[in-house]
Amino acid sequence: MAFNKMWYTIALGLLLPFSYAHTDFFTSIGHMTDLINTEKDLVVSLKDYIKAEESKLEQIKKWAEKLDQLTDTATKDPEGFLGHPVNAFKLMKRLNTEWGELESLVLKDMSDGFISNMTIQRQFFPNDEDQTGAAKALLRLQDTYNLDTDTLSRGNLPGVKHKSFLTAEDCFELGKIAYTEADYYHTELWMEQALKQLDEGEVSSADKAYILDYLSYAVYQQGDLGKAMMLTKRLLELDPEHQRANGNMKYFEYIMAKEKEANKSSTDSEDQMEKETEVKKKDYLPERRKYEMLCRGEGLKMTPRRQKRLFCRYYDGNRNPRYILGPVKQEDEWDKPRIVRFLDIISDEEIETVKELAKPRLRRATISNPITGALETAHYRISKSAWLSGYESPVVSRINTRIQDLTGLDVSTAEELQVANYGVGGQYEPHFDFARANEPDAFKELGTGNRIATWLFYMSDVSAGGATVFPEVGASVWPKKGTAVFWYNLFPSGEGDYSTRHAACPVLVGNKWVSNKWLHERGQEFRRPCTLSELE
């Protein structure tokens, strides 16, 4: 019997969409899209493996069915069956050759191709840091946008195109990550959500005993002894021999006894046992609260009198020859500090060119250490960035010229165009663009002075979240593709304008691409003359 050989080819080139090792995937949605393609190709590889296994089993099945009929006939009259010389020959052939071939087929490992692909791909997979980073992003979004666990678990977010939900096992994983960070507030929220979904009948590999173990300890750490005891009792109902739960229960009872010995009345003790302790989040600084409120669109509104001072206009860059006949649309976003938005200022084609140039170079965004001046990553800046020079592309050169024409500032001393793509819950918490008095060496290497102004392009619309907010003054500027905003970081005197402290809110739903140009003091001496007052 001859067996057909089965071959299937996996195009390894397709499985390697990027040639660099792990690079903090969770900090850039743009780079995470590569992982979607990788996973799709792995699924194709897996399906090829399944087909090969099915084909192998089909051949074995046909062989078994054929031999089943043959042996049924032969065993009824062995001598008569073997009296036919052809049957005798074929019996010898089957036992000597074909059963050996069948054995080889049964032992053949059809998974080699798939396992080989997995081995190659694994070096490009996200790691524990990425999973933790993505989990922390969900917790950050939950806090910033006041989302309850049930809403987030069911995927009921504004502007979503592809709705998804969290399983009880997913909720348990989020709770565990919070637990490892000693974040017992979020541990409690997500362990309770996992427990709730299991109680509602969800089929899951998550174990209630494990969940209750984490939950009771998280509750205890937050000072709610009564609830911790109640959860521990429930755990012991499921697993009476649970060693840690039995130990915890004895400890909780000991604590209770000590409280009674401290002359607490039985009434007070019962009240404390029954009282539902409302656990609140860490009391953030006022700036943090203002920042989160602005991100939710709950900031202070301008008075009608101030709003009347905001206008929209056609702007020609102070009679710039390029814009006299074709002025651009400009509108005031805020009065102090003055923030203006330019509409339809960068085309879709230019945006795509900038993104294509930047994407291969995107690296985790850094901040300048205020003490050492060294560049380093920070948990409060979740994005990837790349830098583009004007000489690299006529598009970038044209964009630089446009910025110079419309701001009236010299871009020859400006930093290169920075392109940023935000990751899961991507954000940049409140910060200044300019160097303060205690950071005299911040831009010393550039030799171009402080950052006098910021120009920020929005290169994508964002379904939800992602605003640029100014907590000091209550301003919120929302992303709109094809627009740009501009503001001065320094007064004409060269003193820093502390009201320009701003932040990039976490992206709740969508993909945020921006690019910015930081313009410096050198070269602006006659373009923006100094005044006599420090605050003018």
Side-chain angles (χ1 to χ4, degrees), residues 508-533:
L508 179 57
V509 178
N511 189 6
K512 183 181 177 183
W513 284 88
V514 297
S515 58
N516 66 278
K517 194 81 171 173
W518 281 310
L519 299 111
H520 284 248
E521 291 177 291
R522 298 293 177 265
Q524 322 304 344
E525 292 83 358
F526 297 104
R527 292 172 181 262
R528 194 188 188 222
C530 183
T531 60
L532 296 177
S533 171

Side-chain angles (χ1 to χ4, degrees), residues 91-106:
L91 176 62
M92 298 301 104
K93 178 175 176 289
R94 280 197 304 275
L95 292 173
N96 183 53
T97 305
E98 293 180 7
W99 275 100
E101 291 177 355
L102 180 65
E103 181 184 23
S104 297
L105 177 61
V106 170

Side-chain angles (χ1 to χ4, degrees), residues 184-200:
Y184 300 117
Y185 167 73
H186 286 110
T187 302
E188 179 184 2
L189 290 181
W190 286 101
M191 290 301 176
E192 282 187 337
Q193 182 64 28
L195 198 60
K196 175 187 173 185
Q197 291 180 203
L198 290 178
D199 288 342
E200 290 174 350

Side-chain angles (χ1 to χ4, degrees), residues 43 58-59 72 154 229 273 288 300 309 328 350 441 483:
V43 170
E58 187 62 29
Q59 290 186 66
D72 276 350
R154 296 181 189 279
M229 288 187 71
M273 286 285 290
R288 179 73 189 191
L300 296 174
R309 299 174 187 167
V328 298
E350 288 173 325
D441 298 331
T483 70

Side-chain angles (χ1 to χ4, degrees), residues 149-284:
T149 50
D150 197 58
T151 296
L152 202 51
S153 177
R154 296 181 189 279
N156 295 327
L157 302 177
V160 293
K161 291 182 180 178
H162 309 285
K163 188 173 179 180
S164 185
F165 62 90
L166 295 170
T167 64
E169 190 176 0
D170 295 330
C171 296
F172 178 53
E173 187 64 32
L174 284 170
K176 281 201 301 182
I177 289 173
Y179 181 87
T180 59
E181 299 289 319
D183 178 0
Y184 300 117
Y185 167 73
H186 286 110
T187 302
E188 179 184 2
L189 290 181
W190 286 101
M191 290 301 176
E192 282 187 337
Q193 182 64 28
L195 198 60
K196 175 187 173 185
Q197 291 180 203
L198 290 178
D199 288 342
E200 290 174 350
E202 181 180 319
V203 178
S204 173
S205 59
D207 188 292
K208 281 188 180 182
Y210 279 122
I211 294 171
L212 287 165
D213 192 14
Y214 279 99
L215 181 55
S216 60
Y217 186 76
V219 169
Y220 165 70
Q221 284 292 335
Q222 295 176 92
D224 192 346
L225 185 59
K227 186 176 179 181
M229 288 187 71
M230 180 269 291
L231 292 167
T232 305
K233 286 177 181 177
R234 184 176 173 187
L235 168 54
L236 289 171
E237 288 173 4
L238 293 173
D239 184 2
E241 304 302 319
H242 197 287
Q243 187 174 353
R244 185 164 47 251
N246 279 298
N248 287 345
M249 182 57 74
K250 290 178 182 178
Y251 177 71
F252 294 155
E253 289 170 349
Y254 168 73
I255 296 295
M256 280 290 185
K258 283 191 70 174
E259 288 180 354
K260 288 180 180 179
E261 288 172 9
N263 295 324
K264 283 198 172 185
S265 67
S266 59
T267 304
D268 289 341
S269 297
E270 289 171 7
D271 288 344
Q272 185 173 348
M273 286 285 290
E274 294 174 0
K275 182 180 177 182
E276 294 261 344
T277 303
E278 182 183 357
V279 182
K280 296 184 178 180
K281 291 185 293 183
K282 190 189 299 181
D283 186 20
Y284 293 113

Side-chain angles (χ1 to χ4, degrees), residues 374-394:
L375 294 177
E376 57 190 24
T377 60
H379 71 277
Y380 55 83
R381 189 178 189 187
I382 307 298
S383 65
K384 284 186 177 179
S385 61
W387 300 85
L388 303 180
S389 299
Y391 65 81
E392 296 180 68
S393 166

Side-chain angles (χ1 to χ4, degrees), residues 213-424:
D213 192 14
Y214 279 99
L215 181 55
S216 60
Y217 186 76
V219 169
Y220 165 70
Q221 284 292 335
Q222 295 176 92
D224 192 346
L225 185 59
K227 186 176 179 181
M229 288 187 71
M230 180 269 291
L231 292 167
T232 305
K233 286 177 181 177
R234 184 176 173 187
L235 168 54
L236 289 171
E237 288 173 4
L238 293 173
D239 184 2
E241 304 302 319
H242 197 287
Q243 187 174 353
R244 185 164 47 251
N246 279 298
N248 287 345
M249 182 57 74
K250 290 178 182 178
Y251 177 71
F252 294 155
E253 289 170 349
Y254 168 73
I255 296 295
M256 280 290 185
K258 283 191 70 174
E259 288 180 354
K260 288 180 180 179
E261 288 172 9
N263 295 324
K264 283 198 172 185
S265 67
S266 59
T267 304
D268 289 341
S269 297
E270 289 171 7
D271 288 344
Q272 185 173 348
M273 286 285 290
E274 294 174 0
K275 182 180 177 182
E276 294 261 344
T277 303
E278 182 183 357
V279 182
K280 296 184 178 180
K281 291 185 293 183
K282 190 189 299 181
D283 186 20
Y284 293 113
L285 295 172
E287 181 186 62
R288 179 73 189 191
R289 289 200 298 271
K290 285 192 285 186
Y291 158 63
E292 292 184 347
M293 287 179 66
L294 289 169
C295 289
R296 296 192 295 268
E298 300 172 1
L300 296 174
K301 305 300 179 185
M302 266 191 180
T303 63
R305 185 176 180 180
R306 287 179 66 188
Q307 285 181 335
K308 288 180 180 178
R309 299 174 187 167
L310 304 182
F311 297 94
C312 57
R313 63 189 68 82
Y314 282 101
Y315 183 69
D316 61 10
N318 292 325
R319 305 289 295 171
N320 186 289
R322 289 190 179 90
Y323 295 99
I324 291 176
L325 295 180
V328 298
K329 290 178 280 187
Q330 185 193 72
E331 62 184 26
D332 297 328
E333 286 281 350
W334 205 257
D335 53 356
K336 290 183 180 180
R338 185 167 186 251
I339 306 168
V340 295
R341 187 194 294 261
F342 293 88
L343 285 75
D344 303 320
I345 201 63
I346 183 170
S347 68
D348 289 349
E349 291 76 16
E350 288 173 325
I351 287 172
E352 289 307 311
T353 299
V354 169
K355 287 166 63 175
E356 288 304 312
L357 288 170
K359 192 171 181 181
R361 309 185 202 176
L362 288 175
R363 296 294 181 270
R364 177 77 181 268
T366 57
I367 54 99
S368 177
N369 187 303
I371 299 174
T372 66
L375 294 177
E376 57 190 24
T377 60
H379 71 277
Y380 55 83
R381 189 178 189 187
I382 307 298
S383 65
K384 284 186 177 179
S385 61
W387 300 85
L388 303 180
S389 299
Y391 65 81
E392 296 180 68
S393 166
V395 170
V396 178
S397 177
R398 188 164 66 243
I399 287 172
N400 289 340
T401 301
R402 189 176 306 154
I403 294 171
Q404 177 166 298
D405 290 343
L406 293 173
T407 63
L409 299 176
D410 186 356
V411 297
S412 66
T413 59
E415 296 174 47
E416 294 177 342
L417 186 70
Q418 182 182 219
V419 183
N421 178 227
Y422 289 80
V424 183

